[in-house]
Amino acid sequence: MKKFLLLLLLFPFILSAQSQYEECVDGAVINAKKGIYWAFENIPEKKKSIEHDLISKDKLIAKVKLAKEVEGVRVESTGYFRSTKATVTLYRSYDLLKKEGYIQEKEKKE
């Protein structure tokens, strides 16, 4: 019975710790997504790869690496929130990037 009462007393603290953990993980993933969106908006024409740090209010939000590959672009974004970091790697083909409007088709010379 004592264990049950102790568990009832500790339950709010366990839920609080879990929600703080979820908040940190979600924040890090959201910041990693911001890095991915930044990368797709800034695909270089001539360079084969770029690296960039997203900083807001003197805090590192995300580290972004973009690399052009044979048939598309690979983006690796590490998002930071408090003491948590989450890395998201995404690949998009050139056809899909054109369809989504991130890359403009070059005009053919006649």
Side-chain angles (χ1 to χ4, degrees):
M1 185 69 170
K2 289 181 182 180
K3 288 182 182 179
F4 180 73
L5 289 174
L6 182 62
L7 186 59
L8 281 176
L9 292 173
L10 292 177
F11 190 70
F13 296 111
I14 293 169
L15 285 179
S16 174
Q18 185 177 6
S19 68
Q20 288 175 354
Y21 173 75
E22 289 289 325
E23 179 186 352
C24 289
V25 171
D26 290 344
V29 170
I30 288 169
N31 287 340
K33 284 182 180 179
K34 290 177 185 178
I36 288 171
Y37 294 132
W38 179 90
F40 286 149
E41 292 289 333
N42 293 285
I43 298 172
E45 272 190 46
K46 295 183 181 181
K47 288 185 178 181
K48 196 164 176 103
S49 66
I50 58 171
E51 291 186 20
H52 185 74
D53 292 343
L54 293 180
I55 298 172
S56 176
K57 298 179 184 175
D58 293 333
K59 290 185 180 179
L60 180 63
I61 300 297
K63 286 187 175 213
V64 184
K65 297 177 184 177
L66 178 139
K68 290 183 178 179
E69 296 187 355
V70 175
E71 290 294 320
V73 173
R74 182 180 49 83
V75 176
E76 181 180 299
S77 178
T78 302
Y80 299 91
F81 186 77
R82 296 185 185 154
S83 63
T84 305
K85 73 177 183 177
T87 301
V88 177
T89 304
L90 196 64
Y91 177 84
R92 282 283 196 263
S93 69
Y94 288 123
D95 291 337
L96 190 56
L97 289 169
K98 286 177 188 174
K99 185 178 176 182
E100 293 174 346
Y102 290 114
I103 296 178
Q104 305 300 321
E105 274 195 65
K106 294 181 182 178
E107 295 179 18
K108 294 181 180 179
K109 296 180 182 178
E110 294 181 30

PDB file of all heavy atoms in Angstrom, residues 64-76:
ATOM      1  N   VAL A  64      23.408  23.339 -40.902  1.00  0.00           N
ATOM      2  CA  VAL A  64      22.865  22.779 -42.138  1.00  0.00           C
ATOM      3  C   VAL A  64      24.000  22.432 -43.096  1.00  0.00           C
ATOM      4  O   VAL A  64      24.922  23.230 -43.286  1.00  0.00           O
ATOM      5  CB  VAL A  64      21.923  23.792 -42.826  1.00  0.00           C
ATOM      6  CG1 VAL A  64      21.277  23.184 -44.051  1.00  0.00           C
ATOM      7  CG2 VAL A  64      20.882  24.308 -41.864  1.00  0.00           C
ATOM      8  N   LYS A  65      23.911  21.235 -43.689  1.00  0.00           N
ATOM      9  CA  LYS A  65      24.842  20.810 -44.729  1.00  0.00           C
ATOM     10  C   LYS A  65      24.017  20.385 -45.932  1.00  0.00           C
ATOM     11  O   LYS A  65      23.109  19.563 -45.807  1.00  0.00           O
ATOM     12  CB  LYS A  65      25.688  19.626 -44.262  1.00  0.00           C
ATOM     13  CG  LYS A  65      26.585  19.931 -43.089  1.00  0.00           C
ATOM     14  CD  LYS A  65      27.318  18.687 -42.651  1.00  0.00           C
ATOM     15  CE  LYS A  65      28.142  18.969 -41.403  1.00  0.00           C
ATOM     16  NZ  LYS A  65      28.809  17.760 -40.920  1.00  0.00           N
ATOM     17  N   LEU A  66      24.327  20.977 -47.081  1.00  0.00           N
ATOM     18  CA  LEU A  66      23.645  20.631 -48.321  1.00  0.00           C
ATOM     19  C   LEU A  66      24.683  20.124 -49.297  1.00  0.00           C
ATOM     20  O   LEU A  66      25.736  20.739 -49.465  1.00  0.00           O
ATOM     21  CB  LEU A  66      22.936  21.857 -48.896  1.00  0.00           C
ATOM     22  CG  LEU A  66      22.212  21.647 -50.211  1.00  0.00           C
ATOM     23  CD1 LEU A  66      20.883  22.370 -50.204  1.00  0.00           C
ATOM     24  CD2 LEU A  66      23.035  22.096 -51.391  1.00  0.00           C
ATOM     25  N   ALA A  67      24.399  19.008 -49.940  1.00  0.00           N
ATOM     26  CA  ALA A  67      25.319  18.446 -50.932  1.00  0.00           C
ATOM     27  C   ALA A  67      24.524  18.043 -52.166  1.00  0.00           C
ATOM     28  O   ALA A  67      23.496  17.372 -52.060  1.00  0.00           O
ATOM     29  CB  ALA A  67      26.046  17.231 -50.362  1.00  0.00           C
ATOM     30  N   LYS A  68      25.005  18.488 -53.320  1.00  0.00           N
ATOM     31  CA  LYS A  68      24.385  18.066 -54.573  1.00  0.00           C
ATOM     32  C   LYS A  68      24.891  16.669 -54.903  1.00  0.00           C
ATOM     33  O   LYS A  68      26.068  16.376 -54.770  1.00  0.00           O
ATOM     34  CB  LYS A  68      24.756  19.021 -55.702  1.00  0.00           C
ATOM     35  CG  LYS A  68      24.107  20.372 -55.573  1.00  0.00           C
ATOM     36  CD  LYS A  68      24.473  21.232 -56.757  1.00  0.00           C
ATOM     37  CE  LYS A  68      23.807  22.577 -56.707  1.00  0.00           C
ATOM     38  NZ  LYS A  68      24.197  23.403 -57.852  1.00  0.00           N
ATOM     39  N   GLU A  69      23.970  15.822 -55.322  1.00  0.00           N
ATOM     40  CA  GLU A  69      24.309  14.457 -55.705  1.00  0.00           C
ATOM     41  C   GLU A  69      23.869  14.224 -57.140  1.00  0.00           C
ATOM     42  O   GLU A  69      23.366  15.135 -57.789  1.00  0.00           O
ATOM     43  CB  GLU A  69      23.677  13.472 -54.725  1.00  0.00           C
ATOM     44  CG  GLU A  69      24.251  13.646 -53.328  1.00  0.00           C
ATOM     45  CD  GLU A  69      23.795  12.590 -52.348  1.00  0.00           C
ATOM     46  OE1 GLU A  69      22.952  11.755 -52.713  1.00  0.00           O
ATOM     47  OE2 GLU A  69      24.300  12.604 -51.213  1.00  0.00           O
ATOM     48  N   VAL A  70      24.034  13.015 -57.619  1.00  0.00           N
ATOM     49  CA  VAL A  70      23.789  12.693 -59.029  1.00  0.00           C
ATOM     50  C   VAL A  70      22.399  13.120 -59.482  1.00  0.00           C
ATOM     51  O   VAL A  70      22.254  13.818 -60.465  1.00  0.00           O
ATOM     52  CB  VAL A  70      24.003  11.183 -59.290  1.00  0.00           C
ATOM     53  CG1 VAL A  70      23.646  10.821 -60.713  1.00  0.00           C
ATOM     54  CG2 VAL A  70      25.434  10.797 -58.982  1.00  0.00           C
ATOM     55  N   GLU A  71      21.364  12.720 -58.792  1.00  0.00           N
ATOM     56  CA  GLU A  71      20.003  13.007 -59.237  1.00  0.00           C
ATOM     57  C   GLU A  71      19.220  13.902 -58.285  1.00  0.00           C
ATOM     58  O   GLU A  71      18.000  13.983 -58.388  1.00  0.00           O
ATOM     59  CB  GLU A  71      19.231  11.696 -59.440  1.00  0.00           C
ATOM     60  CG  GLU A  71      19.693  10.887 -60.622  1.00  0.00           C
ATOM     61  CD  GLU A  71      19.423  11.588 -61.958  1.00  0.00           C
ATOM     62  OE1 GLU A  71      18.351  12.190 -62.114  1.00  0.00           O
ATOM     63  OE2 GLU A  71      20.297  11.512 -62.825  1.00  0.00           O
ATOM     64  N   GLY A  72      19.920  14.554 -57.353  1.00  0.00           N
ATOM     65  CA  GLY A  72      19.191  15.390 -56.422  1.00  0.00           C
ATOM     66  C   GLY A  72      20.078  16.064 -55.393  1.00  0.00           C
ATOM     67  O   GLY A  72      21.271  16.261 -55.612  1.00  0.00           O
ATOM     68  N   VAL A  73      19.476  16.405 -54.283  1.00  0.00           N
ATOM     69  CA  VAL A  73      20.153  17.146 -53.222  1.00  0.00           C
ATOM     70  C   VAL A  73      19.928  16.414 -51.900  1.00  0.00           C
ATOM     71  O   VAL A  73      18.824  15.966 -51.603  1.00  0.00           O
ATOM     72  CB  VAL A  73      19.569  18.582 -53.126  1.00  0.00           C
ATOM     73  CG1 VAL A  73      20.122  19.320 -51.939  1.00  0.00           C
ATOM     74  CG2 VAL A  73      19.834  19.352 -54.397  1.00  0.00           C
ATOM     75  N   ARG A  74      21.005  16.303 -51.113  1.00  0.00           N
ATOM     76  CA  ARG A  74      20.915  15.722 -49.776  1.00  0.00           C
ATOM     77  C   ARG A  74      21.158  16.834 -48.761  1.00  0.00           C
ATOM     78  O   ARG A  74      22.128  17.571 -48.847  1.00  0.00           O
ATOM     79  CB  ARG A  74      21.952  14.624 -49.578  1.00  0.00           C
ATOM     80  CG  ARG A  74      21.855  13.944 -48.207  1.00  0.00           C
ATOM     81  CD  ARG A  74      22.892  12.852 -48.018  1.00  0.00           C
ATOM     82  NE  ARG A  74      24.235  13.262 -48.359  1.00  0.00           N
ATOM     83  CZ  ARG A  74      25.060  13.931 -47.547  1.00  0.00           C
ATOM     84  NH1 ARG A  74      24.675  14.277 -46.354  1.00  0.00           N
ATOM     85  NH2 ARG A  74      26.275  14.250 -47.943  1.00  0.00           N
ATOM     86  N   VAL A  75      20.235  16.944 -47.807  1.00  0.00           N
ATOM     87  CA  VAL A  75      20.347  17.965 -46.767  1.00  0.00           C
ATOM     88  C   VAL A  75      20.403  17.266 -45.414  1.00  0.00           C
ATOM     89  O   VAL A  75      19.580  16.409 -45.122  1.00  0.00           O
ATOM     90  CB  VAL A  75      19.142  18.932 -46.795  1.00  0.00           C
ATOM     91  CG1 VAL A  75      19.225  19.923 -45.650  1.00  0.00           C
ATOM     92  CG2 VAL A  75      19.060  19.656 -48.119  1.00  0.00           C
ATOM     93  N   GLU A  76      21.400  17.644 -44.629  1.00  0.00           N
ATOM     94  CA  GLU A  76      21.495  17.170 -43.252  1.00  0.00           C
ATOM     95  C   GLU A  76      21.411  18.394 -42.356  1.00  0.00           C
ATOM     96  O   GLU A  76      22.218  19.311 -42.468  1.00  0.00           O
ATOM     97  CB  GLU A  76      22.820  16.443 -43.026  1.00  0.00           C
ATOM     98  CG  GLU A  76      22.955  15.905 -41.624  1.00  0.00           C
ATOM     99  CD  GLU A  76      24.276  15.195 -41.423  1.00  0.00           C
ATOM    100  OE1 GLU A  76      24.519  14.203 -42.137  1.00  0.00           O
ATOM    101  OE2 GLU A  76      25.050  15.632 -40.548  1.00  0.00           O
TER     102      GLU A  76
END
